[in-house]
Amino acid sequence: MNAISLKINNEGYDVPVKPHWSLAYVIREKIGLTGTKAGCEMGTCGSCTLLLDGKPIFSCLRMAIDAQGSDIRTIEGLEEENDGELHPLQEAFIQDHGMQCGFCTPGMILAAKHLLDHNPDPTEQQVREAIGGHLCRCGTYVRIVKAIMNAAETMRNAQATQ
Ligand code: FES
Ligand code: FES
């Protein structure tokens, strides 16, 4: 095993890993940040999505050793970015019931965050495309899209009053 250093949500983690361990596995099972979900573990469901250097990736397909030196953001880091409060996307998912079991939710929210960071006023079609690679086994898609649209509006309004 080799020890690697990972930067996750602005914290440093030194963790021994085997070369074939995925980033999703290391983050969940070795570091204990279980907000990142492992569903298919073969790149087809999106539940393991996190932000690597600002871009959403499927962490089940990324080797942990290849993530050294990158800025990794998981769902646990969103509050820190929002002064310790729930992020507007998290609030909107609660308000709009954008989840049932919640398994797909962290990946959906991080994909949506990437969209809104780059496009604060997306169309519904653009929201659908942003979460296109994400499966919700509970079929909550309509409410998820609504939550993301409402979060976008909340964030635009907050920006306008600053
Ligand atoms: Fe990674 Fe499904 S667990 S895409
Ligand atoms: Fe259950 Fe999406 S809320 S998988």
Side-chain angles (χ1 to χ4, degrees):
M1 267 201 242
N2 298 317
I4 64 169
S5 298
L6 295 175
K7 184 177 156 209
I8 307 172
N9 305 326
N10 284 326
E11 296 273 337
Y13 296 88
D14 295 319
V15 53
V17 304
K18 291 186 176 175
H20 63 281
W21 284 357
S22 73
L23 184 55
Y25 175 77
V26 169
I27 283 180
R28 285 181 51 81
E29 306 298 334
K30 301 298 170 189
I31 294 176
L33 293 172
T34 55
T36 301
K37 302 302 180 201
C40 67
E41 298 187 66
M42 54 190 289
T44 60
C45 76
S47 66
C48 64
T49 296
L50 48 72
L51 300 178
L52 190 91
D53 295 329
K55 294 189 186 139
I57 61 146
F58 291 174
S59 59
C60 68
L61 296 182
R62 188 66 57 108
M63 295 297 103
I65 54 173
D66 290 334
Q68 290 189 95
S70 291
D71 179 39
I72 300 167
R73 302 283 168 159
T74 68
I75 193 72
E76 289 92 344
L78 274 196
E79 283 180 49
E80 174 214 334
E81 280 189 32
N82 204 45
D83 296 330
E85 303 290 327
L86 287 180
H87 189 279
L89 277 161
Q90 293 171 303
E91 288 285 5
F93 269 67
I94 294 169
Q95 292 301 321
D96 294 321
H97 304 287
M99 69 195 86
Q100 286 190 45
C101 76
F103 200 84
C104 69
T105 311
M108 292 279 190
I109 287 179
L110 290 174
K113 179 180 184 318
H114 178 257
L115 171 69
L116 300 187
D117 283 350
H118 295 84
N119 178 3
D121 193 6
T123 63
E124 194 170 306
Q125 181 62 29
Q126 287 170 326
V127 169
R128 288 178 187 276
E129 285 168 9
I131 60 168
H134 295 249
L135 298 181
C136 174
R137 295 156 186 79
C138 302
T140 324
Y141 297 108
V142 171
R143 296 203 302 267
I144 290 170
V145 170
K146 182 180 174 202
I148 296 170
M149 294 296 286
N150 284 340
E153 185 177 0
T154 301
M155 291 166 72
R156 286 195 305 276
N157 291 341
Q159 192 72 32
T161 57
Q162 277 181 0

